[in-house]
Amino acid sequence: KQEVTQIPAALSVPEGENLVLNCSFTDSAIYNLQWFRQDPGKGLTSLLLIQSSQREQTSGRLNASLDKSSGRSTLYIAASQPGDSATYLCAVFWYSGAGSYQLTFGKGTKLSVIP
Amino acid sequence: GAVVSQHPSWVICKSGTSVKIECRSLDFQATTMFWYRQFPKQSLMLMATSNEGSKATYEQGVEKDKFLINHASLTLSTLTVTSAHPEDSSFYICSARQTKAETQYFGPGTRLLVL
């Protein structure tokens, strides 16, 4: 069974600061890992997807890394802005057996960027 | 990019009534659709997986007679919460994918409040 843990559960930083969100997973046999953003009461916005063969992905101020062997991923946000305030979810896509793949989510990190 | 819609975006109903939530893939054919539930401050939890034209596969602890899923076409899946109770109040999110190994695309979610 795959378990995904995100630390910290909540984070508050002043505007302009760089920050790192952490994600760990128990089964390293993953197909890919994805970071999402969720605004209050809203659905998910996909930020970055890292294939199991990749080490990192970048999009604008966001950089996600993946260390599959250690079961860890980090999301780095540079020069944070108040608009970055949201909950960030990490999810791993893995083979769950019997020809099925499954996406397992962490509980998320709630980020607040203070102006 | 691929777009998934959900309807309604929110619904309030009385205890004991049934509620139907629709999930549509707007610009692609979804061979598989997923239904997730998210309670406050919790992660998304997979409820069931449905393949077009076949019965849904429910996760452990999810009552199949209470949460009826129909995936009648390659672009539409419905989740019906039968005889809803206040404890069913939650945020329901669907996702869809084209093949076993591709990314899931998420809908915007439906907030259900059972009075």
Side-chain angles (χ1 to χ4, degrees):
Chain A
K1 181 181 177 182
Q2 180 74 263
E3 293 183 5
V4 180
T5 303
Q6 289 187 248
I7 296 173
L11 181 64
S12 183
V13 301
E15 181 177 2
E17 195 164 292
N18 302 324
L19 58 101
V20 175
L21 307 180
N22 297 292
C23 171
S24 62
F25 45 95
T26 54
D27 187 340
S28 62
I30 65 171
Y31 188 80
N32 62 48
L33 182 144
Q34 203 162 358
W35 283 92
F36 294 88
R37 168 184 174 139
Q38 185 177 30
D39 292 289
K42 302 294 184 181
L44 305 180
T45 300
S46 179
L47 298 174
L48 291 165
L49 184 149
I50 311 176
Q51 299 292 349
S52 62
S53 59
Q54 298 175 323
R55 297 283 293 183
E56 66 177 344
Q57 282 286 336
T58 298
S59 175
R61 295 182 293 108
L62 306 179
N63 176 277
S65 68
L66 174 63
D67 183 345
K68 199 175 72 165
S69 61
S70 68
R72 294 182 181 183
S73 176
T74 62
L75 178 66
Y76 176 83
I77 302 177
S80 58
Q81 302 171 358
D84 295 331
S85 298
T87 295
Y88 290 81
L89 296 168
C90 166
V92 296
F93 190 54
W94 56 289
Y95 182 65
S96 55
S100 297
Y101 290 83
Q102 187 166 332
L103 193 62
T104 299
F105 286 84
K107 290 186 177 182
T109 294
K110 184 175 182 179
L111 173 65
S112 299
V113 181
I114 312 301
Chain B
V3 179
V4 175
S5 70
Q6 278 185 244
H7 179 80
S9 57
W10 61 271
V11 58
I12 302 174
C13 70
K14 292 182 179 179
S15 184
T17 60
S18 294
V19 175
K20 179 184 283 187
I21 303 170
E22 293 186 350
C23 176
R24 293 180 184 273
S25 56
L26 299 185
D27 50 3
F28 68 100
Q29 293 186 324
T31 52
T32 306
M33 287 187 169
F34 305 85
W35 286 96
Y36 294 85
R37 180 168 53 183
Q38 184 181 34
F39 291 107
K41 297 185 179 180
Q42 297 296 314
S43 182
L44 277 75
M45 297 299 295
L46 181 66
M47 298 175 65
T49 302
S50 72
N51 293 295
E52 185 267 337
S54 61
K55 290 184 178 180
T57 303
Y58 290 80
E59 295 299 305
Q60 192 172 11
V62 179
E63 300 175 57
K64 63 180 181 180
D65 294 330
K66 181 172 181 61
F67 298 98
L68 303 179
I69 293 173
N70 186 297
H71 192 164
S73 76
L74 286 172
T75 59
L76 173 64
S77 175
T78 61
L79 167 67
T80 301
V81 183
T82 62
S83 187
H85 288 98
E87 57 265 30
D88 298 323
S89 299
S90 186
F91 192 54
Y92 293 85
I93 300 179
C94 75
S95 70
R97 73 177 181 209
Q98 289 176 287
T99 67
K100 286 185 179 180
E102 282 197 16
T103 302
Q104 292 181 30
Y105 299 96
F106 286 82
T110 297
R111 184 160 299 282
L112 170 64
L113 176 61
V114 184
L115 301 177

